[in-house]
Amino acid sequence: MSIFPAYIEDKERIHTDTKTDDDSSTNTTKWLINSSFPLETDRLKCLEKVTISGSSSSCSTDNETELLPAKRYKKHKKHKKKSKRKKHNADFDMQISKPALEFNGEEEYYIDKNKAKIFLSIRTLHKPACPRYRRSFGHAMGTLRWNELLSAGTTLKLRKRYFQNKLTTSRNPICNGILPALDENEYTSRLGQLNRKTLEPTCDLQVWLDLISLQEQNPYKWTRLLLAERKLDIINRALLSFPRNEQLYRIYIDIINVTYPSFEVTKMIDRLLIKDPHSYTLWTAQIMTTQGSMARCIVPDVLRIYERCMSKMHRAQQINKSDAATNSTSDNIMLKLFNNCALFLRQAGLYELFIALLKLALELNVSTSDFKAFTPLESDQNTLIEYEEIVLQSGLPMNEIWQRIEKLRQSFNFLPCLNSSNDPQRIVFNEDICHYIYPLELRENSFYLMLLILRLLKLPFIQTEELAEKFTAHLQLIGDSDAIEDTLAVCLQRNFAISQNLQNEFQKGLYTLAKEMAVNPTFLGNIIGHDIYNRCVSDLLMDFAASYTNIDNRKRELFIVLWCRFKRLLLVLERCSSKINAEYIKAGRKLFKNLLKHPLNRNVLIFYTEFAIYEYESLENPKDDMSSVASIFENLISSHSADETQASDLCYTYVTFAEMLIGCDKPTEALQVLISFALNSEVVTYCKIGDGKKLAALQKVIDKLDRQIAIEKNVEVIVLEQYLLPDYTISLIKVRMLIQCLIGKKTEAIEYLDKLLHIFRNNNDRHRFLREQIMEIYIGVLQIARSTCKIPNGLLRDKIFNTLAEFPRNLYLLQHCGMLSSEPWFRIRTAILRTKPTILAVTFLIVLARYKFFQMNSDEEWDKRHNALIIRNRILHIFKTLTSDHVTEVSGRNALLRNALFWRLYIRFLSDQCTDFETSKKCLLTALDECPWNKALYLDGATHVPQELSHLQDLIIEKQLRIYALPEELEILREQ
């Protein structure tokens, strides 16, 4: 027989009438002595006198039997009437005479169906009825302790429960970026105090900012609209006391963007522009209100706003033309607007207008001569026709044919035509674009314009945080550049203190991702037609150098150095793709020799140094044979050692040669090179060096460096070309650090670097540049392996993480942060995204995730699938974290979500064999809502969500983005 009533069957229900005496009843109820069934004495007596009903009708009628409680056991509420109580007692006595039980007296148990409500409530525990305890973890692999995690900026969400979390939140004024609500009395008193301060004549801006932030701490349940209206009212009052304040403008724009629809935002910004028609911040917000709205983003409408904006700015520039400081500021604003407009044209696919605009800007501000780099060749058009015929005859589906021909024409037809053309959109006149560029007031700003044009052409030359800051224009509103090629600048800077094979593997991973995400036209070798773009960029660099001939030799040398680095980058990328051959190296070597044969370049030392670096990169295994590179350096040093006019370039040559020798495991030869620089003697790489000679050379370098540092303490200004050319102070610091590390004084070198960091801690541009470069040297010194001084991994990790928090866009630091083999993934991810989540940080995290995958890859098929799933989850977690509202702050999140490369990467890693089309479609719709002007998003959507191809084509035509191949045209061409 089953214990549980639900499992009792009819055949087991045996009901017999038996009469038991007192002894048998007592034996039957012995089981009730069990403490699990504490019945009272009166109830036991009632059970002893109970008779078993033998009628089966009662069971079938009631459908279940009950053991009825005794009268004394049943508790009744006092408020019931006596008549009801008597009636209940009478019915109770009748029911006792014939109880219906489910046992016959022979069993040693009975079925308890009475509710024990006392157990439904717990009187011993109080709310929230949870024990207070801590979760302790081990500290394996160098994990941080709890107090260190708090200092590192980790969130408190779900860390401590109930009382402890409430206590910790009360101690911290800001938790997860949200201000806690104040008590009503405290809020009222503080509000009155701040309102009284705003009426004082000495009131500063901080009082108004505190008053705005106080609205977030209100104790009332205000709606978002009401809260925004109160904030805007305060800002409008503050603007009366502080007109044209940029900080108030930005807060105002952030509030209205998240509260009102786009057409309301446009009206509100228009009201501010009537009062301040020359504000760059307001005009940028007005442009992005139309450009960033899916319903209103149409290319002619956006360009019309750019035209109004730039004409207003130019008119203000003409009014204040006499003031030099005002001219510099107005030029800066005009260059920012030009950058934004050109970037919009490039992202919309209007490359003809984009190139024509760049050409007109150069003709107005640099030189009136024709730039041959932007002239198309007829042979390129014939090559395009051949490729199109191959695609049309391939038999591919129509959507694939459209995508391939669209990308082909975009790679070949990006240059505008002045003469007749089959495509009328390629014919661009100056009248079509003259409203988007104006002549600059100051001649020296033309150099910045040329570098800005190179960046718009996706030339990777920015490697440091300080230089990247010079080329940013309101990232919070318009977003950074979406060119994946910018990350390839890290391939130009090698760290010879670590394994070169590891760096090569990282560069291969970066190049693989760049090939997947590149947008035509580009200089990457996997794209058909890349040679046209390479020729365009190379010729443009030479045109820039020629424009400074006999005007400024240093700027001329800079553009030629950029040309040399661009050729070296192409060589490195060819090696990463395993397509490098002897003919390619020979052709590159020939270009360098033709450059050095020019009369103006024969005595420029830095050109020969760049040629030596190119020769080093062309070697398959530099450790085996480096004689050709060494001979170039030795000839350079012997011929230019007495030239004091090129002291900076000479020091850079010595340092580069020594670092290459260290990378080839030749520390003795490297030390000899550095000592020859210090003593100004001939380089003899195979001779024994005495200790006295080492110390004498070190002392001379120390004296030179001390004099240079004394000068640098008082320097606060840095010109733009110093960011890109070798710096004499940095080269001297490297010489001293390398000598001290090679002679076994690594500890003294680290102490001196700490001293320099303490000296250069001011906020001027020169000191910040020196500080960033010293940080890179510091990390390189820590990674130099010497048996006399071993550095713990924790010191290197902390130094990289702290430096990355200070300079989040430094490519050298981003690369070395991910190459820390002893650090777990979550710590690397936190260090890179902690301070400023930029598109560079996201791109490098993806490359590092793949790099970790290659490190843990195995031969077994199951392990490969498992590791690939881990990497996919890691990458998708990055995107889900950055797109959530409560993780990243508003300004950084807006800048990231306005970047089309972020969404293209997200869609790319969603669309694999582990997902469905609906997930990719939702991500695509979100991306188009954030960046509706970017043509690359539509092309990626056609690839990863092919069922929406027709809708995407309609959207491209509706937004008036550039479309080269109409579906109807391809149908006709395919039939022919």
Side-chain angles (χ1 to χ4, degrees):
M1 176 181 291
S2 175
I3 298 177
F4 304 102
Y7 296 95
I8 297 178
E9 299 179 358
D10 293 338
K11 62 181 180 180
E12 294 180 0
R13 301 179 184 272
I14 304 173
H15 302 281
T16 56
D17 295 334
T18 56
K19 293 182 179 181
T20 58
D21 53 1
D22 295 341
D23 296 337
S24 61
S25 299
T26 303
N27 295 332
T28 305
T29 58
K30 283 183 180 180
W31 59 274
L32 293 174
I33 301 175
N34 193 333
S35 60
S36 300
F37 303 93
L39 297 179
E40 291 141 357
T41 308
D42 295 339
R43 190 173 182 184
L44 291 175
K45 292 181 180 179
C46 178
L47 289 173
E48 293 174 358
K49 298 178 182 180
V50 163
T51 58
I52 306 300
S53 176
S55 62
S56 60
S57 61
S58 62
C59 297
S60 60
T61 304
D62 297 338
N63 215 358
E64 62 178 358
T65 57
E66 287 187 332
L67 178 62
L68 297 177
K71 178 180 179 181
R72 179 179 175 276
Y73 185 73
K74 184 69 175 180
K75 295 182 180 180
H76 299 278
K77 296 182 180 180
K78 295 181 180 180
H79 65 275
K80 290 187 176 182
K81 296 179 181 180
K82 292 182 180 180
S83 59
K84 290 185 178 181
R85 186 178 300 173
K86 290 180 180 179
K87 183 178 179 181
H88 175 75
N89 293 339
D91 295 340
F92 179 75
D93 294 337
M94 292 177 63
Q95 290 176 1
I96 285 182
S97 61
K98 292 183 179 181
L101 299 178
E102 291 187 352
F103 57 92
N104 55 6
E106 297 178 358
E107 295 83 0
E108 295 183 358
Y109 63 88
Y110 85 104
I111 302 173
D112 185 9
K113 296 184 179 180
N114 293 326
K115 296 180 180 179
K117 295 184 178 181
I118 189 173
F119 297 115
L120 298 180
S121 61
I122 302 175
R123 300 177 183 177
T124 56
L125 295 178
H126 304 281
K127 279 191 174 183
C130 176
R132 299 176 60 180
Y133 64 90
R134 291 177 180 269
R135 291 179 295 174
S136 60
F137 300 95
H139 300 284
M141 295 188 298
T143 54
L144 296 176
R145 295 181 180 274
W146 175 250
N147 56 353
E148 296 174 352
L149 287 172
L150 291 180
S151 63
T154 54
T155 59
L156 298 175
K157 184 179 179 182
L158 299 180
R159 291 289 188 181
K160 296 183 178 181
R161 300 176 64 184
Y162 301 109
F163 299 111
Q164 294 184 5
N165 191 21
K166 188 174 182 180
L167 180 62
T168 310
T169 306
S170 62
R171 289 177 180 174
N172 292 326
I174 298 177
C175 183
N176 289 336
I178 300 175
L179 294 171
L182 298 177
D183 183 69
E184 185 174 359
N185 295 331
E186 185 180 359
Y187 173 77
T188 306
S189 62
R190 181 151 176 76
L191 183 64
Q193 180 183 3
L194 291 175
N195 282 327
R196 287 190 295 271
K197 284 185 178 181
T198 57
L199 300 177
E200 297 176 359
T202 58
C203 174
D204 57 353
L205 180 62
Q206 188 60 41
V207 176
W208 292 101
L209 297 179
D210 293 340
L211 187 59
I212 295 171
S213 63
L214 181 64
Q215 307 307 310
E216 294 283 351
Q217 299 179 271
N218 69 86
Y220 316 109
K221 296 182 179 180
W222 289 342
T223 62
R224 185 179 64 177
L225 180 60
L226 180 59
L227 181 62
E229 289 176 350
R230 293 182 68 90
K231 287 183 178 181
L232 294 179
D233 179 64
I234 296 172
I235 294 175
N236 289 327
R237 288 160 47 199
L239 285 173
L240 297 176
S241 303
F242 300 93
R244 302 178 181 179
N245 186 274
E246 292 292 326
Q247 192 171 1
L248 291 175
Y249 280 160
R250 292 177 186 177
I251 298 175
Y252 187 93
I253 292 167
D254 289 340
I255 293 173
I256 62 178
N257 279 336
V258 300
T259 308
Y260 300 99
S262 61
F263 63 91
E264 289 289 344
V265 173
T266 301
K267 295 178 182 178
M268 299 175 76
I269 296 178
D270 279 336
R271 289 195 289 268
L272 289 179
L273 283 172
I274 294 174
K275 302 176 183 178
D276 186 8
H278 306 131
S279 173
Y280 169 75
T281 303
L282 293 179
W283 276 113
T284 306
Q286 183 72 295
I287 291 169
M288 289 307 299
T289 303
T290 303
Q291 180 179 332
S293 173
M294 185 65 183
R296 305 174 61 197
C297 179
I298 300 176
V299 171
D301 296 343
V302 178
L303 291 178
R304 200 173 298 116
I305 301 177
Y306 271 111
E307 181 181 348
R308 287 175 47 210
C309 172
M310 300 188 84
S311 62
K312 292 270 188 184
M313 293 296 179
H314 181 65
R315 192 176 300 116
Q317 188 180 33
Q318 296 300 317
I319 295 173
N320 303 321
K321 195 172 182 179
S322 58
D323 190 2
T326 306
N327 289 338
S328 178
T329 304
S330 61
D331 279 353
N332 188 25
I333 293 176
M334 294 299 290
L335 286 171
K336 287 181 179 179
L337 289 172
F338 166 76
N339 174 47
N340 297 345
C341 182
L343 189 63
F344 168 73
L345 291 174
R346 192 190 77 186
Q347 292 175 349
L350 300 167
Y351 277 93
E352 296 86 3
L353 290 175
F354 168 69
I355 297 295
L357 181 61
L358 300 185
K359 185 178 179 181
L360 180 61
L362 293 174
E363 291 175 353
L364 287 175
N365 299 289
V366 178
S367 175
T368 57
S369 60
D370 187 19
F371 289 90
K372 299 180 180 179
F374 295 136
T375 304
L377 300 179
E378 187 177 354
S379 59
D380 299 335
Q381 191 68 24
N382 298 330
T383 307
L384 171 63
I385 295 174
E386 294 177 2
Y387 280 115
E388 285 188 4
E389 290 178 354
I390 295 174
V391 174
L392 290 171
Q393 296 173 5
S394 62
L396 292 171
M398 195 59 199
N399 57 349
E400 188 68 24
I401 289 178
W402 177 80
Q403 294 182 50
R404 297 199 179 194
I405 291 185
E406 181 72 20
K407 292 179 181 179
L408 272 175
R409 293 183 179 180
Q410 191 167 308
S411 296
F412 283 86
N413 293 341
F414 66 94
L415 294 175
C417 292
L418 298 179
N419 301 323
S420 60
S421 175
N422 296 330
D423 190 353
Q425 292 193 22
R426 293 192 65 189
I427 303 175
V428 181
F429 300 102
N430 288 340
E431 291 79 5
D432 302 330
I433 54 174
C434 63
H435 308 289
Y436 314 119
I437 185 64
Y438 290 89
L440 301 175
E441 294 296 328
L442 299 179
R443 174 69 178 177
E444 52 267 22
N445 289 329
S446 60
F447 178 67
Y448 179 86
L449 173 65
M450 298 161 79
L451 290 178
L452 186 62
I453 287 175
L454 291 178
R455 186 169 187 262
L456 289 170
L457 290 173
K458 301 186 280 191
L459 180 68
F461 65 91
I462 298 176
Q463 304 179 27
T464 60
E465 168 73 20
E466 291 303 306
L467 188 58
E469 190 67 27
K470 296 289 182 181
F471 291 92
T472 55
H474 275 263
L475 294 179
Q476 294 82 2
L477 298 176
I478 201 167
D480 201 355
S481 173
D482 63 336
I484 190 69
E485 291 87 351
D486 292 341
T487 59
L488 297 175
V490 74
C491 300
L492 296 172
Q493 187 177 8
R494 279 190 174 272
N495 182 6
F496 293 97
I498 62 176
S499 173
Q500 302 303 300
N501 293 331
L502 293 179
Q503 294 187 73
N504 293 337
E505 290 297 326
F506 180 83
Q507 291 174 2
K508 287 182 181 179
L510 184 60
Y511 180 58
T512 302
L513 182 63
K515 288 192 299 182
E516 296 175 5
M517 307 307 300
V519 179
N520 302 3
T522 181
F523 57 83
L524 299 183
N526 66 306
I527 303 295
I528 299 176
H530 68 280
D531 51 344
I532 304 175
Y533 198 80
N534 293 349
R535 184 186 66 234
C536 176
V537 175
S538 301
D539 294 346
L540 185 63
L541 286 169
M542 286 302 179
D543 291 341
F544 285 171
S547 64
Y548 281 102
T549 304
N550 300 325
I551 297 176
D552 191 335
N553 289 330
R554 201 59 178 167
K555 289 185 174 63
R556 175 184 171 275
E557 293 173 4
L558 170 62
F559 286 115
I560 296 180
V561 168
L562 291 178
W563 180 89
C564 297
R565 292 175 182 174
F566 179 60
K567 294 299 179 183
R568 173 156 52 98
L569 176 63
L570 296 179
L571 175 68
V572 173
L573 298 182
E574 286 291 321
R575 188 190 61 223
C576 292
S577 61
S578 302
K579 294 180 180 179
I580 192 169
N581 49 37
E583 289 77 10
Y584 187 87
I585 298 173
K586 186 177 180 180
R589 192 181 292 119
K590 184 179 179 180
L591 290 175
F592 271 92
K593 290 182 179 180
N594 292 334
L595 174 70
L596 297 174
K597 288 178 182 179
H598 196 277
L600 296 176
N601 303 332
R602 289 177 181 175
N603 296 323
V604 182
L605 179 59
I606 191 172
F607 297 162
Y608 292 92
T609 306
E610 290 294 332
F611 174 58
I613 300 175
Y614 181 88
E615 192 70 24
Y616 177 83
E617 294 290 349
S618 65
L619 298 177
E620 185 176 356
N621 193 355
K623 292 185 178 181
D624 296 338
D625 186 12
M626 194 184 163
S627 58
S628 60
V629 180
S631 63
I632 295 174
F633 277 110
E634 290 172 1
N635 293 333
L636 281 178
I637 293 171
S638 61
S639 59
H640 293 83
S641 58
D643 190 0
E644 296 181 356
T645 59
Q646 302 188 53
S648 176
D649 296 342
L650 183 62
C651 185
Y652 173 71
T653 302
Y654 275 100
V655 170
T656 304
F657 188 25
E659 287 178 340
M660 288 181 181
L661 292 173
I662 292 174
C664 295
D665 296 333
K666 298 178 180 179
T668 306
E669 290 83 349
L671 182 60
Q672 178 62 52
V673 170
L674 296 172
I675 289 176
S676 64
F677 165 75
L679 302 177
N680 197 14
S681 60
E682 185 179 355
V683 177
V684 181
T685 56
Y686 299 100
C687 70
K688 190 175 181 180
I689 309 171
D691 293 339
K693 192 175 182 180
K694 295 178 184 178
L695 296 177
L698 178 60
Q699 188 60 41
K700 283 199 172 187
V701 173
I702 291 175
D703 295 340
K704 285 183 182 180
L705 187 56
D706 290 343
R707 290 192 296 268
Q708 191 68 22
I709 294 298
I711 297 173
E712 292 289 355
K713 288 181 181 179
N714 303 319
V715 178
E716 297 182 356
V717 181
I718 180 173
V719 294
L720 198 56
E721 54 265 27
Q722 286 182 279
Y723 287 102
L724 297 169
L725 291 174
D727 189 83
Y728 184 53
T729 304
I730 298 300
S731 299
L732 279 179
I733 294 174
K734 285 184 178 181
V735 171
R736 175 174 176 175
M737 295 301 102
L738 291 177
I739 291 177
Q740 288 182 328
C741 290
L742 293 176
I743 65 176
K745 294 186 177 182
K746 189 174 180 179
T747 306
E748 297 179 4
I750 295 174
E751 292 175 356
Y752 182 73
L753 289 175
D754 290 329
K755 179 182 176 181
L756 290 179
L757 292 176
H758 182 73
I759 294 173
F760 300 114
R761 57 181 181 179
N762 295 334
N763 291 326
N764 60 73
D765 293 342
R766 177 63 181 173
H767 286 189
R768 281 189 59 83
F769 166 74
L770 291 175
R771 182 177 179 84
E772 185 174 3
Q773 296 297 315
I774 291 171
M775 285 292 192
E776 292 183 5
I777 298 173
Y778 202 135
I779 293 172
V781 168
L782 292 177
Q783 291 177 326
I784 294 179
R786 303 300 296 171
S787 59
T788 56
C789 181
K790 295 184 178 180
I791 301 298
N793 293 331
L795 177 61
L796 177 62
R797 176 199 64 210
D798 296 341
K799 182 58 65 176
I800 292 178
F801 287 177
N802 296 334
T803 309
L804 194 60
E806 187 175 357
F807 306 104
R809 284 177 289 186
N810 188 292
L811 301 185
Y812 180 88
L813 297 174
L814 287 171
Q815 176 186 4
H816 286 77
C817 180
M819 296 178 68
L820 294 173
S821 57
S822 61
E823 294 303 313
W825 165 255
F826 73 91
R827 188 165 297 141
I828 295 174
R829 182 195 63 214
T830 304
I832 293 179
L833 297 178
R834 177 176 55 187
T835 306
K836 191 174 183 180
T838 60
I839 189 60
L840 284 177
V842 175
T843 306
F844 270 82
L845 273 178
I846 295 173
V847 177
L848 296 176
R850 290 181 166 187
Y851 176 75
K852 294 279 185 182
F853 169 71
F854 289 128
Q855 283 186 333
M856 65 182 182
N857 204 358
S858 62
D859 296 333
E860 297 184 7
E861 187 65 27
W862 186 89
D863 290 340
K864 287 182 179 179
R865 292 198 303 267
H866 178 68
N867 294 339
L869 184 60
I870 292 175
I871 299 306
R872 180 182 184 273
N873 291 338
R874 285 178 176 179
I875 293 175
L876 293 181
H877 179 262
I878 295 171
F879 292 106
K880 292 178 181 178
T881 302
L882 294 176
T883 52
S884 58
D885 297 335
H886 63 279
V887 176
T888 55
E889 57 177 330
V890 176
S891 60
R893 182 172 176 269
N894 289 343
L896 203 57
L897 299 187
R898 289 294 186 188
N899 196 303
L901 180 59
F902 175 81
W903 293 107
R904 292 178 60 227
L905 288 168
Y906 197 177
I907 297 172
R908 162 67 183 82
F909 288 100
L910 271 179
S911 304
D912 57 5
Q913 59 184 358
C914 299
T915 188
D916 56 350
F917 287 115
E918 286 300 321
T919 307
S920 301
K921 182 181 176 180
K922 290 179 181 179
C923 183
L924 175 64
L925 294 178
T926 308
L928 292 177
D929 187 60
E930 293 287 347
C931 308
W933 70 91
N934 197 288
K935 181 185 174 183
L937 273 176
Y938 295 89
L939 294 180
D940 284 2
T943 302
H944 302 299
V945 192
Q947 67 271 21
E948 300 294 331
L949 176 62
S950 59
H951 300 291
L952 293 173
Q953 290 173 343
D954 294 340
L955 275 176
I956 292 175
I957 297 173
E958 178 187 346
K959 303 295 180 187
Q960 298 189 30
L961 306 178
R962 183 67 163 102
I963 183 168
Y964 290 89
L966 294 173
E968 295 80 4
E969 176 194 359
L970 294 183
E971 287 286 355
I972 298 173
L973 291 176
R974 191 180 185 185
E975 291 175 0
Q976 292 178 356

